[in-house]
Amino acid sequence: MGYEEYKGSDWGKSLPVPSVQELVRNDPHSLPERYIQLHTDRPLDTDMAMAPSSSDIPILDFALLAKGDHDETRKLDLACKEWGFFQIINHGVAEEVLLKMKAAIAAFFELPLEEKNKYVQAGNDFQGYGQGYVASEEQKLDWCDVLFLITLPHEIRNLKYWADTIPGFKDAIERYSKEAQKVAEEICANISLLMGMDKDGLQRSYGKTKQAMRMNYYPPCSRPDLVLGINHHSDPDIITLLLQDDEIPGLQIKHKEEWILVKPIHNAIVVNVGDVMEILSNGMYKSIEHRATTNESKARLSLATFMFPYDELEMGPMECAVDEHRPRMYGNMKYLDYLRYTLGRKMEGKAHLDNTLKIKTSSS
Ligand code: OGA
Ligand code: NI
C-alpha cells in the first residue's frame, strides 16, 4: 500500500532494489542473500500438490449475496469471522474485463527493462514500478516486482506511472477498477447489514475511499523453498480484491496456525478483510496474515486491488460492535498514523495491529 502524499516525508522512503525479473533473466540460478528468508519464514512445502487442503476456504456466490439471500449472507459472516478470506464467483465482472486486465499486467512486465524504468517509483513515491516497501538494507526482500498505481478517484491518479504505450492498458484498468469498486462496495454493504446497521453504516464510518492496485510479478525461482514472493503481512486497508493466475497457485493464508493454499478458481476473485475493517468491527471480522510462494518453472502474476480510507480518518471500533460481551479491543487512531507505523515496521506480519491499537488487557 502507499500513496503520493508520502512525498517528502522522511519515513516514507522506500529504498531502491534491483528488479528480480532481471536478476533471473541474467542468471536463472542467482539467489542473493537478501532474498533468502530466515528459517522460521521459509515455506515448508512448496510442492503445491502437497499443500494443506484449501477446500474449506469459503466460496460465495456474489449474485445471491447481492440479492440478500439469507444463507449466503450467513456464509459471508462466517467467512469474515473465521477465515478473513473467501473467493467469490458469479461476481458479474465480465470475463473479458478480467482477461484484458490480466493481459495488461502481463504486457507491462514483458516490456524491456528500460521501458519499464520509465515508470519507476520516483523518490519517496510509492506509486510506480519497483518493489514493495523496503524500509531497511537488512530487510529480507520479496521475490517480486511490482507496479503500484492509485486508480480511484480519478482526480488523484498520477498518470505518469500509467504505461500508456501499451495498447489498451489504461482502458483495461479503467474498466476493471470500476467493476472492482462496485464489488467491494457491495460486500461492505452486506457486512454493514451483518453488523446490525443499514447498508451504508460502514461507509459512513470509513468515509470517502481511495482505490489502489498492486500488480505483482513473481519470477520463477531456482530455490522456491528459500524465498517468498511476498512475505507474510496483513493488508492495511478496508477490503482487498485479488485476481490471481488461474493456473499457478502461490497465495497462502494463515489459518489456525497453518499456512493454507488458496487454490485458484477460474474467474473467481479472492476477497480479504483488511486491518481497517478489523478495527471498525472491533475484531469481529479478521484481517488475516497471508503470503505468496514462488515456483521453479513459471512466473506468476497477480493483482491486488485495495480499498482504503483517506489519511484523515479517525478510526476506532464502531459503537454497534462494542458491548459488554465484546469490550473495546482497539483505541482510536488516525489512519495516516496507522499506516506510517505499519510501513515503518514492515515485514513483521500483523504485529503492528496488536502493538499500535490493541487495548492491552491484563491477561495479554
Ligand atoms: C498483496 C498480496 C498475494 C498474491 O499484493 O497484498 O497479498 O497472491 N498478494 O499475489
Ligand atoms: Ni496482501
Side-chain angles (χ1 to χ4, degrees):
M1 299 271 324
Y3 36 20
E4 78 279 35
E5 284 89 336
Y6 296 138
K7 249 181 239 160
S9 57
D10 51 353
W11 61 275
K13 197 171 162 140
S14 183
L15 302 170
V17 287
S19 150
V20 186
Q21 190 181 7
E22 283 311 299
L23 218 66
V24 175
R25 199 197 303 276
N26 294 330
D27 173 8
H29 293 285
S30 121
L31 185 50
E33 181 65 31
R34 290 176 81 187
Y35 296 90
I36 300 178
Q37 295 291 334
L38 302 174
H39 281 275
T40 46
D41 288 340
R42 289 180 194 169
L44 285 179
D45 201 341
T46 51
D47 180 353
M48 290 308 170
M50 301 295 288
S53 159
S54 64
S55 56
D56 292 326
I57 293 177
I59 299 168
L60 301 186
D61 185 324
F62 183 80
L64 288 178
L65 204 59
K67 268 198 292 192
D69 180 88
H70 183 71
D71 288 347
E72 219 56 22
T73 312
R74 295 316 313 162
K75 262 168 84 178
L76 174 68
D77 192 44
L78 274 182
C80 295
K81 280 179 177 155
E82 290 177 9
W83 290 87
F85 264 81
F86 51 94
Q87 306 211 49
I88 50 170
I89 53 170
N90 280 334
H91 43 59
V93 185
E95 180 166 33
E96 186 213 345
V97 172
L98 301 181
L99 289 177
K100 290 208 162 133
M101 187 64 231
K102 290 181 181 180
I105 301 171
F108 177 78
F109 286 101
E110 275 159 21
L111 291 175
L113 183 64
E114 58 279 19
E115 273 300 307
K116 288 196 284 270
N117 276 340
K118 291 184 180 158
Y119 309 101
V120 84
Q121 287 165 356
N124 294 349
D125 203 346
F126 278 76
Q127 288 195 74
Y129 171 59
Q131 274 70 31
Y133 186 66
V134 182
S136 80
E137 296 291 349
E138 289 74 45
Q139 183 185 317
K140 291 295 178 190
L141 299 180
D142 294 338
W143 197 260
C144 179
D145 294 340
V146 171
L147 177 63
F148 190 94
L149 299 176
I150 302 275
T151 42
L152 286 177
H154 282 78
E155 57 275 18
I156 63 166
R157 286 180 180 175
N158 190 343
L159 293 175
K160 79 170 180 190
Y161 293 119
W162 293 48
D164 51 8
T165 51
I166 300 173
F169 185 83
K170 262 188 187 163
D171 187 52
I173 297 182
E174 186 74 75
R175 291 176 69 195
Y176 179 72
S177 152
K178 204 191 281 170
E179 297 290 327
Q181 187 66 15
K182 267 199 280 186
V183 171
E185 284 173 2
E186 182 65 36
I187 293 169
C188 288
N190 275 279
I191 293 179
S192 244
L193 294 174
L194 284 167
M195 288 175 73
M197 299 179 280
D198 63 62
K199 273 190 160 229
D200 302 324
L202 257 181
Q203 196 275 328
R204 278 194 298 275
S205 177
Y206 58 67
K208 278 196 304 179
T209 59
K210 300 182 190 181
Q211 184 195 67
M213 288 189 187
R214 181 182 151 127
M215 305 174 195
N216 299 305
Y217 180 90
Y218 304 103
C221 180
S222 58
R223 289 296 303 273
D225 55 325
L226 300 181
V227 308
L228 282 172
I230 185 168
N231 209 330
H232 61 99
H233 67 283
S234 64
D235 294 343
D237 63 348
I238 301 166
I239 194 164
T240 307
L241 264 47
L242 184 91
L243 273 190
Q244 60 169 340
D245 194 292
D246 271 354
E247 308 291 332
I248 309 165
L251 174 63
Q252 298 182 339
I253 68 168
K254 190 101 179 244
H255 182 70
K256 301 197 166 123
E257 300 308 308
E258 206 179 14
W259 286 107
I260 295 204
L261 177 72
V262 180
K263 283 207 186 103
I265 298 176
H266 181 62
N267 282 347
I269 298 175
V270 179
V271 182
N272 67 278
V273 169
D275 294 349
V276 176
M277 181 80 83
E278 174 169 324
I279 292 162
L280 296 180
S281 72
N282 197 26
M284 188 153 61
Y285 298 129
K286 304 279 188 314
S287 171
I288 293 297
E289 277 190 332
H290 52 285
R291 66 181 190 184
T293 56
T294 61
N295 72 79
E296 269 178 274
S297 53
K298 283 188 187 144
R300 174 174 175 263
L301 297 172
S302 73
L303 169 64
T305 304
F306 305 105
M307 183 167 109
F308 58 104
Y310 276 67
D311 293 355
E312 302 74 31
L313 177 75
E314 196 59 55
M315 59 180 193
M318 297 184 71
E319 239 154 64
C320 64
V322 180
D323 60 27
E324 72 262 34
H325 306 295
R326 181 173 279 281
R328 216 179 147 80
M329 285 176 68
Y330 305 94
N332 283 353
M333 195 181 218
K334 210 167 120 178
Y335 181 64
L336 180 62
D337 293 332
Y338 178 70
L339 209 50
R340 236 176 220 164
Y341 190 81
T342 310
L343 293 172
R345 298 181 47 115
K346 178 91 196 275
M347 294 312 160
E348 290 175 39
K350 243 188 102 178
H352 54 274
L353 192 57
D354 297 344
N355 290 336
T356 41
L357 276 166
K358 211 157 202 169
I359 293 172
K360 302 271 184 290
T361 58
S362 49
S363 59
S364 63

Tab-separated table of all heavy atoms in Angstrom, residues 85 214 216 218 230-231 233 235 240 242-244 250-252 272 290-292 300-304 306, ligand 1:
chain	number	residue	atom	x	y	z
A	85	PHE	N	-10.833	-14.519	4.699
A	85	PHE	CA	-10.625	-14.684	3.250
A	85	PHE	C	-11.762	-15.502	2.669
A	85	PHE	O	-12.263	-16.423	3.312
A	85	PHE	CB	-9.344	-15.501	2.979
A	85	PHE	CG	-8.128	-14.667	2.698
A	85	PHE	CD1	-7.412	-14.117	3.741
A	85	PHE	CD2	-7.692	-14.438	1.399
A	85	PHE	CE1	-6.275	-13.359	3.506
A	85	PHE	CE2	-6.555	-13.674	1.151
A	85	PHE	CZ	-5.846	-13.144	2.204
A	214	ARG	N	-2.037	-3.061	-6.869
A	214	ARG	CA	-0.670	-3.559	-6.805
A	214	ARG	C	-0.578	-4.741	-7.756
A	214	ARG	O	-1.182	-5.789	-7.536
A	214	ARG	CB	-0.352	-3.980	-5.368
A	214	ARG	CG	1.052	-4.488	-5.184
A	214	ARG	CD	1.315	-4.930	-3.759
A	214	ARG	NE	2.320	-5.973	-3.820
A	214	ARG	CZ	3.464	-5.991	-3.131
A	214	ARG	NH1	3.730	-5.042	-2.276
A	214	ARG	NH2	4.333	-6.952	-3.292
A	216	ASN	N	1.486	-7.583	-9.235
A	216	ASN	CA	2.641	-8.361	-8.787
A	216	ASN	C	3.149	-9.282	-9.883
A	216	ASN	O	2.357	-9.963	-10.548
A	216	ASN	CB	2.245	-9.242	-7.594
A	216	ASN	CG	1.780	-8.427	-6.397
A	216	ASN	OD1	2.499	-7.547	-5.922
A	216	ASN	ND2	0.566	-8.701	-5.917
A	218	TYR	N	5.809	-12.356	-10.016
A	218	TYR	CA	6.685	-13.253	-9.270
A	218	TYR	C	7.463	-14.125	-10.259
A	218	TYR	O	6.899	-15.079	-10.809
A	218	TYR	CB	5.859	-14.169	-8.357
A	218	TYR	CG	4.951	-13.442	-7.385
A	218	TYR	CD1	3.574	-13.350	-7.613
A	218	TYR	CD2	5.468	-12.865	-6.225
A	218	TYR	CE1	2.732	-12.688	-6.713
A	218	TYR	CE2	4.636	-12.211	-5.319
A	218	TYR	CZ	3.270	-12.132	-5.576
A	218	TYR	OH	2.443	-11.492	-4.685
A	230	ILE	N	5.935	-12.854	-1.654
A	230	ILE	CA	5.597	-11.715	-0.787
A	230	ILE	C	5.545	-12.274	0.632
A	230	ILE	O	4.931	-13.307	0.881
A	230	ILE	CB	4.298	-10.998	-1.226
A	230	ILE	CG1	4.020	-9.744	-0.400
A	230	ILE	CG2	3.092	-11.889	-1.153
A	230	ILE	CD1	2.913	-8.854	-0.993
A	231	ASN	N	6.272	-11.597	1.508
A	231	ASN	CA	6.374	-12.081	2.882
A	231	ASN	C	5.032	-11.943	3.601
A	231	ASN	O	4.156	-11.202	3.157
A	231	ASN	CB	7.449	-11.290	3.619
A	231	ASN	CG	8.106	-12.112	4.714
A	231	ASN	OD1	7.479	-12.996	5.301
A	231	ASN	ND2	9.362	-11.839	4.984
A	233	HIS	N	2.022	-10.835	5.697
A	233	HIS	CA	1.545	-9.487	6.028
A	233	HIS	C	0.027	-9.533	6.092
A	233	HIS	O	-0.589	-10.476	5.602
A	233	HIS	CB	1.973	-8.492	4.942
A	233	HIS	CG	1.303	-8.748	3.614
A	233	HIS	ND1	1.694	-9.767	2.752
A	233	HIS	CD2	0.230	-8.172	3.015
A	233	HIS	CE1	0.919	-9.783	1.694
A	233	HIS	NE2	-0.003	-8.827	1.822
A	235	ASP	N	-3.262	-6.842	5.055
A	235	ASP	CA	-3.414	-5.641	4.228
A	235	ASP	C	-3.948	-4.481	5.075
A	235	ASP	O	-4.983	-4.627	5.732
A	235	ASP	CB	-4.379	-5.913	3.064
A	235	ASP	CG	-3.817	-6.932	2.069
A	235	ASP	OD1	-2.590	-7.175	2.087
A	235	ASP	OD2	-4.601	-7.476	1.268
A	240	THR	N	-9.730	-6.025	0.364
A	240	THR	CA	-8.875	-6.245	-0.810
A	240	THR	C	-9.521	-7.261	-1.729
A	240	THR	O	-10.074	-8.264	-1.262
A	240	THR	CB	-7.497	-6.817	-0.393
A	240	THR	OG1	-6.921	-5.995	0.603
A	240	THR	CG2	-6.542	-6.902	-1.579
A	242	LEU	N	-8.429	-9.753	-4.843
A	242	LEU	CA	-7.225	-10.270	-5.502
A	242	LEU	C	-7.576	-11.137	-6.704
A	242	LEU	O	-8.375	-12.054	-6.603
A	242	LEU	CB	-6.389	-11.091	-4.511
A	242	LEU	CG	-5.063	-11.580	-5.093
A	242	LEU	CD1	-3.956	-10.575	-4.833
A	242	LEU	CD2	-4.662	-12.933	-4.549
A	243	LEU	N	-6.961	-10.765	-7.822
A	243	LEU	CA	-7.070	-11.605	-9.011
A	243	LEU	C	-5.792	-12.404	-9.061
A	243	LEU	O	-4.706	-11.817	-9.075
A	243	LEU	CB	-7.101	-10.735	-10.268
A	243	LEU	CG	-8.399	-10.175	-10.799
A	243	LEU	CD1	-8.141	-9.562	-12.170
A	243	LEU	CD2	-9.466	-11.252	-10.901
A	244	GLN	N	-5.886	-13.716	-9.065
A	244	GLN	CA	-4.662	-14.488	-9.192
A	244	GLN	C	-4.697	-15.315	-10.459
A	244	GLN	O	-5.748	-15.493	-11.073
A	244	GLN	CB	-4.379	-15.328	-7.947
A	244	GLN	CG	-5.421	-16.351	-7.565
A	244	GLN	CD	-4.909	-17.298	-6.466
A	244	GLN	OE1	-3.713	-17.438	-6.249
A	244	GLN	NE2	-5.822	-17.966	-5.799
A	250	GLY	N	-0.059	-19.926	-5.458
A	250	GLY	CA	1.016	-19.249	-4.731
A	250	GLY	C	0.514	-18.604	-3.448
A	250	GLY	O	1.224	-18.549	-2.464
A	251	LEU	N	-0.737	-18.133	-3.458
A	251	LEU	CA	-1.265	-17.446	-2.279
A	251	LEU	C	-1.551	-18.419	-1.146
A	251	LEU	O	-2.202	-19.448	-1.338
A	251	LEU	CB	-2.554	-16.707	-2.663
A	251	LEU	CG	-3.329	-16.045	-1.520
A	251	LEU	CD1	-2.513	-14.934	-0.854
A	251	LEU	CD2	-4.662	-15.493	-2.028
A	252	GLN	N	-1.033	-18.090	0.030
A	252	GLN	CA	-1.301	-18.894	1.227
A	252	GLN	C	-1.817	-17.991	2.335
A	252	GLN	O	-1.365	-16.854	2.472
A	252	GLN	CB	-0.012	-19.572	1.717
A	252	GLN	CG	0.598	-20.541	0.729
A	252	GLN	CD	1.841	-21.217	1.296
A	252	GLN	OE1	2.456	-20.716	2.224
A	252	GLN	NE2	2.216	-22.344	0.720
A	272	ASN	N	-10.354	-10.361	0.751
A	272	ASN	CA	-9.954	-10.441	2.150
A	272	ASN	C	-10.241	-9.177	2.934
A	272	ASN	O	-10.244	-8.078	2.410
A	272	ASN	CB	-8.493	-10.913	2.312
A	272	ASN	CG	-7.465	-9.943	1.813
A	272	ASN	OD1	-7.188	-9.897	0.609
A	272	ASN	ND2	-6.906	-9.157	2.703
A	290	HIS	N	-1.240	-13.280	5.277
A	290	HIS	CA	-1.102	-14.091	4.071
A	290	HIS	C	0.255	-13.824	3.439
A	290	HIS	O	0.954	-12.885	3.813
A	290	HIS	CB	-2.254	-13.808	3.095
A	290	HIS	CG	-2.456	-12.354	2.779
A	290	HIS	ND1	-3.033	-11.463	3.664
A	290	HIS	CD2	-2.145	-11.623	1.679
A	290	HIS	CE1	-3.086	-10.260	3.111
A	290	HIS	NE2	-2.542	-10.327	1.917
A	291	ARG	N	0.628	-14.661	2.472
A	291	ARG	CA	1.912	-14.531	1.796
A	291	ARG	C	1.812	-15.223	0.451
A	291	ARG	O	0.805	-15.885	0.163
A	291	ARG	CB	3.013	-15.179	2.647
A	291	ARG	CG	2.857	-16.683	2.767
A	291	ARG	CD	3.943	-17.291	3.642
A	291	ARG	NE	3.905	-18.752	3.557
A	291	ARG	CZ	4.672	-19.560	4.265
A	291	ARG	NH1	5.531	-19.061	5.151
A	291	ARG	NH2	4.597	-20.866	4.121
A	292	ALA	N	2.819	-15.067	-0.383
A	292	ALA	CA	2.819	-15.796	-1.652
A	292	ALA	C	4.145	-16.522	-1.809
A	292	ALA	O	5.201	-15.975	-1.470
A	292	ALA	CB	2.583	-14.852	-2.823
A	300	ARG	N	4.476	-15.976	-12.012
A	300	ARG	CA	3.074	-15.860	-11.604
A	300	ARG	C	2.717	-14.379	-11.521
A	300	ARG	O	3.491	-13.574	-10.991
A	300	ARG	CB	2.863	-16.534	-10.247
A	300	ARG	CG	1.484	-16.353	-9.652
A	300	ARG	CD	1.320	-17.197	-8.370
A	300	ARG	NE	0.049	-16.943	-7.748
A	300	ARG	CZ	-0.132	-16.082	-6.737
A	300	ARG	NH1	0.887	-15.397	-6.236
A	300	ARG	NH2	-1.338	-15.910	-6.224
A	301	LEU	N	1.546	-14.045	-12.040
A	301	LEU	CA	1.069	-12.666	-11.965
A	301	LEU	C	-0.130	-12.598	-11.038
A	301	LEU	O	-0.929	-13.526	-10.983
A	301	LEU	CB	0.620	-12.181	-13.347
A	301	LEU	CG	1.686	-12.120	-14.433
A	301	LEU	CD1	1.040	-11.805	-15.775
A	301	LEU	CD2	2.720	-11.055	-14.103
A	302	SER	N	-0.266	-11.506	-10.323
A	302	SER	CA	-1.491	-11.313	-9.552
A	302	SER	C	-1.779	-9.818	-9.457
A	302	SER	O	-0.906	-8.988	-9.724
A	302	SER	CB	-1.376	-11.917	-8.150
A	302	SER	OG	-0.534	-11.125	-7.352
A	303	LEU	N	-3.002	-9.501	-9.090
A	303	LEU	CA	-3.400	-8.101	-8.949
A	303	LEU	C	-4.191	-7.935	-7.664
A	303	LEU	O	-5.276	-8.503	-7.513
A	303	LEU	CB	-4.282	-7.688	-10.132
A	303	LEU	CG	-4.978	-6.336	-9.981
A	303	LEU	CD1	-3.981	-5.189	-9.920
A	303	LEU	CD2	-5.964	-6.101	-11.113
A	304	ALA	N	-3.632	-7.156	-6.741
A	304	ALA	CA	-4.365	-6.841	-5.508
A	304	ALA	C	-4.966	-5.443	-5.672
A	304	ALA	O	-4.256	-4.501	-6.004
A	304	ALA	CB	-3.432	-6.885	-4.311
A	306	PHE	N	-6.833	-2.596	-3.605
A	306	PHE	CA	-7.087	-2.201	-2.221
A	306	PHE	C	-8.114	-1.075	-2.160
A	306	PHE	O	-8.028	-0.118	-2.932
A	306	PHE	CB	-5.794	-1.680	-1.567
A	306	PHE	CG	-4.637	-2.635	-1.636
A	306	PHE	CD1	-3.590	-2.426	-2.527
A	306	PHE	CD2	-4.580	-3.747	-0.804
A	306	PHE	CE1	-2.507	-3.296	-2.589
A	306	PHE	CE2	-3.499	-4.625	-0.856
A	306	PHE	CZ	-2.462	-4.392	-1.751
B	1	OGA	C1	-0.758	-8.328	-1.909
B	1	OGA	C2	-0.878	-9.811	-1.767
B	1	OGA	C3	-0.861	-12.017	-2.776
B	1	OGA	C4	-0.662	-12.685	-4.105
B	1	OGA	O1	-0.378	-7.882	-3.016
B	1	OGA	O2	-1.052	-7.621	-0.911
B	1	OGA	O3	-1.149	-10.265	-0.693
B	1	OGA	O4	-1.045	-13.844	-4.231
B	1	OGA	N1	-0.677	-10.609	-2.849
B	1	OGA	O5	-0.104	-12.062	-5.002
